[in-house]
Amino acid sequence: TPFLIENIAEPQIHRLVLNSFRAFFTRNIAAYPGYRELDVNFIGSIAWYYRDVLAEAAAQCDCHIGKIIKSPMEGLIKFHTN
């Protein structure tokens, strides 16, 4: 994905990524009843680096994004230090 993130301002690249995220929300999130009332959280570098396009796709699919964490270690460290 380095090529995609470096060229995300290009309309064709942006559309490709946006459509892929919309397909994800349609196939995986919208299949659950009540998905509109719950936040969807993400862990990983793809969600982190593409968070603006991910948020755009979520809004178009009537989904709400909660937290986006770059690495699972962040959450584990926070959990074990509290």
Side-chain angles (χ1 to χ4, degrees), residues 61-75:
C61 294
D62 204 18
C63 293
H64 304 280
I65 293 182
K67 294 180 184 177
I68 300 176
I69 300 172
K70 185 177 179 182
S71 165
M73 287 303 287
E74 294 174 38

Side-chain angles (χ1 to χ4, degrees), residues 12-23:
Q12 298 88 346
I13 301 293
H14 183 270
R15 189 170 44 254
L16 172 71
V17 174
L18 180 65
N19 287 342
S20 296
F21 283 139
R22 277 200 313 238

Side-chain angles (χ1 to χ4, degrees), residues 18-57:
L18 180 65
N19 287 342
S20 296
F21 283 139
R22 277 200 313 238
F24 169 81
F25 281 109
T26 300
R27 182 180 58 245
N28 298 300
I29 306 301
Y32 292 96
Y35 75 93
R36 289 181 177 98
E37 289 81 37
L38 300 172
D39 287 344
V40 181
N41 300 298
F42 294 90
I43 298 174
S45 60
I46 297 297
W48 179 261
Y49 288 109
Y50 293 97
R51 62 187 169 273
D52 293 338
V53 183
L54 183 64
E56 183 180 352

Side-chain angles (χ1 to χ4, degrees), residues 1-17:
T1 68
F3 173 81
L4 295 175
I5 199 65
E6 289 172 11
N7 295 285
I8 198 70
E10 293 294 325
Q12 298 88 346
I13 301 293
H14 183 270
R15 189 170 44 254
L16 172 71
V17 174

